Amino acid sequence: MTNTEANWIGVLFGLCLAVLAAYHQFKLPPVLPIFLNAYGYSPTIAGAFMSVYAVAGLFLSFAVGAALQGPHLYKFLQGAFALFVVGSLATIVWPENGWTILAARAVEGIGFAVLAVAGPALCTAHAGRTGLPIAAALVATWIPAGALLSGSLATVISSTGNWQLLWWIGILLTLAMSAWTHRLSRHRSVIQTNRQVAANSESDRPPTEEDVSVLRGQRGTQFLSAALFALWSCQLFGFLTWLPQYLVAVHEFALEDAVMGYALPIVTIGIFNLVAAPILRAGVPVALLLAVALLGQAVIWFLVPFAGGISGLAILAVFGVFAGLTPTCLFALPGTILGVEHAGPRAFGILMTGRNLGVLTGPLLLGAALQYANIWTAWNSTAVVFGVLTMGAALGAAMLFWKLSARRAH
């Protein structure tokens, strides 16, 4: 495979890895009201069920990215699948113990850290230069796709209260993905692509002083990208984790209706993940589109305290538009900054470290606010905080646009 050719089986495989990871992370929010009612968890520990996924990713994503540059990707993937199965079984067997659930989710989170790096990296590596915007758009759908899959299934089972079905389905999907991975392991061009990418990034000549300077500048830009992902993920995952409970507790939705309300922004996000691809292919700079999308989300957050009823639903939809454009831009940044041939797992490890920091803080921040204030006050005050964070991210994206433009000018 050359740097310009696309291997769409490899792209699909990477996307499926990421969607499986998202399914396991997002199987919890649609049934969180059932958990709270049946087992009486505090809002803080319930928020930690979501955030704990990020703990493993925060500490492991960079190391996993470096490790996946080597020849052991297959073993890492099969290990991740095993961790998902173990964590899911533990939750099914001991659901009444909040600390056991937290530990089980942490085990799953280690598997998530592997797939969340490997999936996007494989998508990008297999896409080639011409397919980068499409691959970035596809891989950006991993969160809404996984969340919609779990949310759709939750809609069906919510009337029965049998939340365990979501976990059993997750186990079956994991085993199926393990079998596909084993089958593809016979084709080195699919499973070992990142090793090839790493090899392609090596130079036969020693680096010059100019090369070192460029690399240092690229590394700084990568860390800025990770910081933007952290700020954006904080508000998005806090919002998505607690939205069903908010609709039930504040607006008195039935659980089935709350799950449908939860699906509205997710569907919109997924659609605009894909809409971002032709915008980028038309030549709009990645960082510029990112800045506009983040600014739009910040404005929406500042409007939340004034929304309700139909206006609230409209705000959810508009939020989904801007939130959909954002991850496509973020996942395109490693290839934009480094070039597709150099955007291997190490680059995505840096990016996903930022994401995991945001996923860790967002649900906990809103969960703590819910525990120590009434739900209406908590949501309104947190909306202002999230608005400020997202505005900061928009300014950071504008700075990134300036840095990349200056680099192209030279």
Side-chain angles (χ1 to χ4, degrees):
M1 186 180 77
T2 70
N3 292 334
T4 59
E5 295 174 345
N7 178 347
W8 293 109
I9 292 179
V11 171
L12 178 62
F13 177 66
L15 177 62
C16 288
L17 288 175
V19 170
L20 177 65
Y23 175 91
H24 280 289
Q25 184 173 29
F26 277 90
K27 64 194 175 190
L28 177 69
V31 296
L32 186 57
I34 296 177
F35 270 64
L36 294 172
N37 183 59
Y39 306 113
Y41 308 130
S42 71
T44 300
I45 195 171
F49 292 160
M50 195 70 169
S51 292
V52 74
Y53 258 59
V55 174
L58 183 61
F59 290 104
L60 295 178
S61 288
F62 190 81
V64 166
L68 292 184
Q69 293 280 171
H72 303 299
L73 177 58
Y74 173 79
K75 295 178 182 178
F76 274 91
L77 294 179
Q78 293 294 2
F81 300 143
L83 291 172
F84 279 127
V85 172
V86 170
S88 296
L89 289 175
T91 302
I92 292 170
V93 175
W94 297 291
E96 68 283 349
N97 189 314
W99 292 105
T100 300
I101 302 303
L102 190 62
R105 295 280 292 177
V107 168
E108 293 179 14
I110 298 173
F112 178 91
V114 174
L115 299 193
V117 172
L122 282 166
C123 276
T124 300
H126 284 296
R129 291 172 183 163
T130 58
L132 177 61
I134 297 174
L138 287 174
V139 78
T141 66
W142 69 300
I143 291 297
L148 278 175
L149 179 57
S150 59
S152 300
L153 294 170
T155 302
V156 175
I157 70 171
S158 58
S159 59
T160 68
N162 189 11
W163 59 265
Q164 291 91 341
L165 281 174
L166 281 178
W167 271 250
W168 283 117
I169 291 171
I171 290 172
L172 291 176
L173 291 174
T174 302
L175 294 176
M177 201 65 202
S178 175
W180 189 23
T181 302
H182 179 70
R183 182 178 180 85
L184 289 178
S185 67
R186 302 171 187 176
H187 305 281
R188 293 176 60 88
S189 62
V190 175
I191 298 296
Q192 299 290 346
T193 295
N194 288 296
R195 189 179 184 185
Q196 180 182 357
V197 169
N200 289 340
S201 69
E202 297 295 333
S203 175
D204 293 331
R205 62 174 176 79
T208 65
E209 184 176 339
E210 181 180 359
D211 292 334
V212 173
S213 177
V214 169
L215 181 60
R216 187 178 296 116
Q218 289 174 338
R219 183 57 58 89
T221 308
Q222 286 182 268
F223 283 121
L224 175 57
S225 303
L228 298 180
F229 214 154
L231 292 172
W232 179 72
S233 297
C234 177
Q235 51 91 35
L236 182 74
F237 284 85
F239 166 72
L240 291 180
T241 298
W242 288 102
L243 180 59
Q245 178 65 12
Y246 170 73
L247 295 175
V248 169
V250 174
H251 295 288
E252 299 181 347
F253 280 34
L255 182 57
E256 304 94 292
D257 296 332
V259 172
M260 292 179 65
Y262 165 79
L264 175 61
I266 294 177
V267 169
T268 313
I269 288 171
I271 291 171
F272 280 84
N273 287 158
L274 301 175
V275 168
I279 296 175
L280 294 177
R281 286 176 69 91
V284 176
V286 173
L288 178 59
L289 183 60
L290 178 61
V292 171
L294 289 168
L295 179 61
Q297 288 165 88
V299 171
I300 293 298
W301 276 118
F302 290 129
L303 293 176
V304 164
F306 307 102
I310 298 299
S311 65
L313 291 176
I315 278 181
L316 284 178
V318 175
F319 180 88
V321 171
F322 290 116
L325 298 174
T326 305
T328 300
C329 297
L330 289 167
F331 282 114
L333 284 176
T336 301
I337 294 168
L338 301 174
V340 173
E341 63 272 20
H342 301 297
R346 191 187 303 274
F348 281 95
I350 294 173
L351 188 70
M352 296 306 292
T353 298
R355 174 195 177 276
N356 287 314
L357 179 60
V359 176
L360 172 64
T361 54
L364 281 177
L365 177 63
L366 188 47
L370 291 170
Q371 183 162 341
Y372 297 108
N374 67 68
I375 192 167
W376 186 255
T377 301
W379 267 88
N380 287 343
S381 60
T382 308
V384 174
V385 173
F386 285 166
V388 171
L389 291 176
T390 312
M391 184 64 74
L395 293 174
M399 181 187 301
L400 180 63
F401 171 64
W402 175 79
K403 288 173 69 73
L404 292 176
S405 298
R407 194 177 76 184
R408 283 195 298 270
H410 286 86

